[in-house]
Amino acid sequence: MQYTSTRGTETRVDFRTALLSGLAEDGGLYVPASLPVFSPQEIAKWSWLPFDELAWRVIAPFVGDTLDEPTLRALVSDSYRGFQHRAIAPLQQIGHNEWILELFHGPTRSSKDFAAQLQARLIRHFLGQACERVMWVGASNGDTAVAAIDALRHCPTARLLALYPSAGTPPDRAAIMNSADSDSVSCMAVDGSFDDCQSLASRLLRAWPCPELMPISFNSSNWVGVLAQIVFYFHAALQLGGGVRPVGFSIPTASFAEIYAGFIAQKMGLPINQIIVSTNRNDALHRFIHSNRYSRSATRQTLSPAMDFSLFSNLERFVWELYDRDGGATRALMEHFEDCGELSIGNRQWLQARMLFDSYAVDDALIREEIVTLFHETGSAVDPHTATGAFAGRLHRRNIGAPIVTLGQFAPEKSATLLAELGAWHGAVPGQPTGTTAAPRLGRDDLAGLHEALIQLQAAR
């Protein structure tokens, strides 16, 4: 399996190189040069497989010959060892042909654990003692960085630099980030939004100031962030229809990686008959799908903080697909977006996107109502992100005869205070975290300050 860049046509690297990177050398994102495609008969034969065996079957073609079969099997299986449910990602029924795929049984109780745990083990395998040269870099609204910090235990000599917005990050996630080992982890608050954090992280990776360190993105701009999530779709479809019956998915937009992973799973042969992009009031993707206008916009704080942003790095991979994998066209579009903050694609490409995706924006009032309704009618407590997907899925499903699956990315106890206020939670409500160290602060454009923080983190080791 070879990988190329979304912004060029000549770059060819193997899986190892794509994994051990921040961005491609030309500033693009690594993507497979070709995709494995499975026949319906082959997929149907996987319906009896446990999650880790299924994951190996899906992931192996993307790894190619950079790892032998026994080693990859062991690494994939071990990455799920800390999950607290023996099904790894169980399905919960909430209505007629309506399901929630529970992706929050990992060590930090969010779907971000799937990619973080796998990525850390792969890095350790490929680099061994040289992991001390690794700097894991990324931006987070909380859960992605927390998952990376936990996964760092499996790559203990590496270091991690995380940027998060000073306002809008849940206090419990901020507390975990700020109490992490300061010799290995530096989490910095940015006076701005997640979009500002993401922009700073991308600029840092493009102008990396420490040549003796190897920058690796822990965000889903790294291909493993997508790869780990392709498995979700195969797992759910096999459970509900043996890989033969069409299944739809409603995806809360905690990143575009989940959406792109579903698109890739469909191209690999999985019978997905609908993908619904579910946003909150920060509806940049909804506007892109409905009106072909994608723009960086001011974000508003909502009940679903992991969706409070407007920059989606994996949208570049999808644009590359829409333009028939034309790196030159993709580069021109993305550089225009970086300069102007707005993007519109060709009419043919936009119509194709409209055929692939439905979308819906759900405001906070409807999210509250959905949480209460689900609790009263099913006894299930769901977090606001899941409620967003469940509401959009019920409203916009194309076929009530086919299952519709909402990705449940975060454990409900992460929103226990809100759920208790709504009468949809009977468990203990955690108190406010105390005794944590205040995070260093950066301005939204303070790349120089970020360089200095990086050098200090390097010197601490």
Side-chain angles (χ1 to χ4, degrees), residues 190-417:
V190 174
D191 290 328
S193 65
F194 173 80
D195 291 339
D196 297 311
C197 299
Q198 185 85 301
S199 295
L200 265 179
S202 295
R203 290 169 61 194
L204 176 66
L205 290 169
R206 288 192 172 99
W208 187 247
C210 300
E212 64 278 15
L213 289 177
M214 179 184 299
I216 301 177
S217 172
F218 66 70
N219 288 119
S220 56
S221 55
N222 190 291
W223 175 250
V224 174
V226 176
L227 180 58
Q229 299 184 84
I230 296 173
V231 181
F232 300 166
Y233 297 89
F234 279 85
H235 170 68
L238 285 163
Q239 294 294 304
L240 294 173
V244 177
R245 183 187 188 190
V247 178
F249 290 88
S250 180
I251 308 172
T253 53
S255 81
F256 197 78
E258 293 90 346
I259 301 163
Y260 183 68
F263 165 75
I264 293 297
Q266 189 179 46
K267 292 192 71 173
M268 291 169 67
L270 198 66
I272 296 175
N273 69 343
Q274 185 179 17
I275 294 177
I276 302 172
V277 177
S278 311
T279 78
N280 60 17
R281 289 188 300 163
N282 297 299
D283 61 349
L285 284 179
H286 174 60
R287 286 184 281 112
F288 172 62
I289 293 169
H290 271 260
S291 61
N292 194 17
R293 292 185 61 83
Y294 174 64
S295 63
R296 173 173 177 158
S297 55
T299 56
R300 295 169 287 180
Q301 293 184 28
T302 71
L303 297 177
S304 42
M307 298 161 63
D308 292 347
F309 58 99
S310 65
L311 293 183
F312 296 85
S313 59
N314 275 278
L315 186 62
E316 178 168 338
R317 287 185 167 114
F318 182 57
V319 168
W320 179 75
E321 295 277 1
L322 291 175
Y323 276 83
D324 300 320
R325 303 187 161 204
D326 184 335
T330 304
R331 171 188 286 276
L333 284 163
M334 299 315 299
E335 288 182 348
H336 174 80
F337 175 74
E338 290 161 5
D339 290 340
C340 304
E342 293 188 352
L343 171 69
S344 294
I345 57 178
N347 194 56
R348 178 180 65 83
Q349 288 80 11
W350 176 55
L351 291 175
Q352 184 181 354
R354 287 294 305 269
M355 292 176 63
L356 289 166
F357 299 142
D358 294 307
S359 69
Y360 192 74
V362 186
D363 64 26
D364 279 357
L366 290 173
I367 292 172
R368 289 176 182 270
E369 182 179 338
E370 180 68 9
I371 290 171
V372 173
T373 299
L374 280 175
F375 186 73
H376 287 167
E377 295 183 358
T378 70
S380 300
V382 300
D383 78 292
H385 308 80
T386 305
T388 302
F391 181 86
R394 184 176 306 112
L395 194 67
H396 282 279
R397 61 192 301 187
R398 296 176 183 173
N399 183 354
I400 62 172
I404 187 78
V405 179
T406 294
L407 300 192
Q409 299 153 323
F410 305 102
E413 63 262 28
K414 286 177 173 279
S415 303
T417 301

Side-chain angles (χ1 to χ4, degrees), residues 29-40:
L29 305 182
Y30 282 120
V31 281
S34 61
L35 290 176
V37 178
F38 304 111
S39 68

